[in-house]
Amino acid sequence: MNQEIRIKTKHFYVVLVILGFLLIYSLSSSRDCDENNQALEDPEFVAEREAFLPNQKGPTIYAITPTYSRPVQKAELTRLSQVIRLVPNVFWVLVEDADHNTDLVANLISRSGLQERSVQLFAKTPTNMKLQGKDPNWLKPRGVEQRNKALDWIRKHLAESGGRDRHSVIYFMDDDNTYSTDLFIEMSKIERNKVGVWPVGLVGGLMVEKPVLNRDGIVLGFNSAWRPERPFPFDMAGFAISSDLILDNPQAQFSYEVERGYQESELLRHLTIVHEMQPLANKCTDVLVWHTRTEAPKLDAEKLLIKSGKRSDDGLEV
Ligand code: UDP
Ligand code: MN
């Protein structure tokens, strides 16, 4: 009997030791994978986010979105509008690639409750600059006409509303990317006369394209693999600009005349130099925006239906 109790006790201790090891292992490995995400889970950061989002804190962020009519347009803009609704200091500058404003975009703005903090503009890409049917998307620059229109509007709007004294931020927010609300908290930290920079996920043939900093947190360059010789070799989604720079440099705009991949450099060469950019997103270690691209849906059955004089979306806005 005594021996039986001794064996049971021994088993109990063995199990206890194993459980102890498992506990220590799981704690240490979870610490390992948390290290990268420290800032996002840091209670201080969480508190900052909780305090920031519902209040009208921070400079106005003018988010410029070029957009054009296609089957996925409303889905893309719905995604964007719902991020913008969560960040009260964003003002949405929507520019349609069309020769008039469309009902689809107007309805989307009013249904999302963003009338008070958005403007609907249009600027049609000239036919010779527009991608045709099966053209690969890199053949011609996209968004040039629309982004320039938005810059004109913002310059005028800021001049008229005394915006020169008020610091605000300008961001190019394409309609197909994926944005975290935390990105806008970071952008709100951009200082006067500065261009803020941060990593962008899934772009330029890499998992992440990011600024490279030195030990003092100065931007030295970028890790870009595609055309790294460009003056600013990174994507439009990875920076935002203090309004002073946009107002003080009216010549800064996009152009059809530049080589593929040089739109960012074309604009930024008027505004800053690499090592004066302001690194954000936890010293450029957090990814808060992804250069996602939406697959064009297959609509073979719809085409057949249309040939027979019908359509599935008759009387519906999709
Ligand atoms: N865009 C546009 N007209 C076009 C093609 C694109 O206004 O003919 C807009 C598009 O909605 C997006 C931006 O320009 O907001 C960039 O286009 P896209 O996402 O296709 O470019 P990429 O992802 O290849 O940089
Ligand atoms: Mn895109």
Side-chain angles (χ1 to χ4, degrees), residues 66-68 97 130 137 142 146 174-176 291 293:
T67 185
Y68 67 109
D97 187 350
K130 183 93 177 166
N137 80 312
R142 295 159 305 285
Q146 297 72 34
D174 284 0
D175 66 0
D176 56 341
H291 187 261
R293 308 195 71 243

Side-chain angles (χ1 to χ4, degrees), residues 1 54 59 220 271 306 308:
M1 190 64 191
L220 295 178
L271 308 179
I306 289 172
S308 70

Side-chain angles (χ1 to χ4, degrees), residues 48 132 248 290:
E48 180 191 355
Q132 305 298 328
D248 293 343
W290 296 260

Side-chain angles (χ1 to χ4, degrees), residues 64 66 141-151 155 170-172 236 239 241 246 250-258 262-268 270-271:
I64 297 174
R142 295 159 305 285
V144 169
E145 209 72 26
Q146 297 72 34
R147 294 185 187 118
N148 283 344
K149 173 84 180 190
L151 287 174
R155 284 183 172 116
I170 288 134
Y171 181 54
F172 299 102
M236 203 83 68
F239 65 87
I241 305 163
I246 290 294
Q251 75 282 28
Q253 57 165 8
F254 298 97
S255 163
Y256 289 112
E257 306 302 316
V258 301
Y262 278 72
Q263 291 299 337
E264 292 82 359
S265 300
E266 176 58 22
L267 181 82
L268 290 173
H270 298 286
L271 308 179

Side-chain angles (χ1 to χ4, degrees), residues 8 13 73 79 86 92 141 162 169 175 210 231 250 262 268 290 298:
K8 274 192 180 158
Y13 281 124
Q73 185 182 26
R79 238 155 32 111
L86 291 170
W92 201 8
V169 168
D175 66 0
K210 59 184 184 219
Y262 278 72
L268 290 173
W290 296 260
K298 291 196 175 64

Side-chain angles (χ1 to χ4, degrees), residues 6-295:
R6 255 203 313 277
I7 290 173
K8 274 192 180 158
T9 319
K10 202 167 141 198
H11 279 171
F12 175 73
Y13 281 124
V14 168
V15 169
L16 207 63
V17 167
I18 291 173
L19 281 178
F21 273 121
L22 282 176
L23 188 69
I24 290 168
Y25 175 76
S26 78
L27 281 179
S28 73
S29 64
S30 77
R31 194 166 333 120
D32 282 351
C33 46
D34 278 353
E35 240 154 47
N36 285 334
N37 268 331
Q38 220 166 16
L40 291 181
E41 281 160 26
D42 182 337
E44 241 178 66
F45 184 85
V46 173
E48 180 191 355
R49 175 170 48 198
E50 299 300 305
F52 185 95
L53 287 178
N55 299 315
Q56 298 267 357
K57 277 195 193 168
T60 300
I61 297 169
Y62 292 95
I64 297 174
T65 303
T67 185
Y68 67 109
S69 173
R70 61 212 194 271
V72 300
Q73 185 182 26
K74 189 174 178 184
E76 305 283 37
L77 294 177
T78 298
R79 238 155 32 111
L80 259 60
S81 72
Q82 293 184 346
V83 172
I84 290 173
R85 278 165 66 168
L86 291 170
V87 194
N89 58 322
V90 173
F91 185 98
W92 201 8
V93 183
L94 272 152
V95 193
E96 296 189 67
D97 187 350
D99 50 21
H100 60 276
N101 284 340
T102 64
D103 285 348
L104 186 141
V105 173
N107 290 341
L108 190 120
I109 292 172
S110 63
R111 225 171 300 131
S112 61
L114 289 170
Q115 299 99 314
E116 300 297 310
R117 49 188 184 99
S118 66
V119 62
Q120 184 186 1
L121 308 171
F122 62 88
K124 197 175 172 62
T125 304
T127 319
N128 60 331
M129 285 297 160
K130 183 93 177 166
L131 289 172
Q132 305 298 328
K134 292 227 151 53
D135 282 353
N137 80 312
W138 49 260
L139 197 65
K140 290 180 183 140
R142 295 159 305 285
V144 169
E145 209 72 26
Q146 297 72 34
R147 294 185 187 118
N148 283 344
K149 173 84 180 190
L151 287 174
D152 285 350
W153 184 89
I154 290 169
R155 284 183 172 116
K156 207 157 162 261
H157 171 76
L158 289 178
E160 283 167 2
S161 62
R164 180 164 286 280
D165 310 324
R166 212 174 347 103
H167 164 64
S168 48
V169 168
I170 288 134
Y171 181 54
F172 299 102
M173 188 185 191
D174 284 0
D175 66 0
D176 56 341
N177 296 338
T178 305
Y179 304 89
S180 162
T181 51
D182 294 340
L183 178 69
F184 297 91
I185 299 181
E186 290 305 302
M187 262 184 241
S188 301
K189 299 175 186 168
I190 292 176
E191 292 161 15
R192 279 182 174 262
N193 288 307
K194 285 283 183 186
V195 174
V197 268
W198 49 80
V200 179
L202 315 177
V203 74
L206 295 173
M207 280 302 288
V208 58
E209 214 174 64
K210 59 184 184 219
V212 176
L213 312 187
N214 73 6
R215 280 198 190 167
D216 300 324
I218 307 283
V219 181
L220 295 178
F222 296 85
N223 72 334
S224 316
W226 187 69
R227 296 208 172 178
E229 69 281 7
R230 290 173 293 163
F232 295 91
F234 64 108
D235 191 78
M236 203 83 68
F239 65 87
I241 305 163
S242 158
S243 55
D244 323 75
L245 292 174
I246 290 294
L247 290 172
D248 293 343
N249 299 286
Q251 75 282 28
Q253 57 165 8
F254 298 97
S255 163
Y256 289 112
E257 306 302 316
V258 301
E259 243 183 287
R260 179 183 162 212
Y262 278 72
Q263 291 299 337
E264 292 82 359
S265 300
E266 176 58 22
L267 181 82
L268 290 173
R269 72 190 176 92
H270 298 286
L271 308 179
T272 188
I273 50 177
V274 169
H275 78 250
E276 282 187 357
M277 299 179 110
Q278 184 185 345
L280 293 167
N282 191 26
K283 302 195 181 97
C284 296
T285 59
D286 290 336
V287 178
L288 303 174
V289 54
W290 296 260
H291 187 261
T292 44
R293 308 195 71 243
T294 305
E295 188 184 356

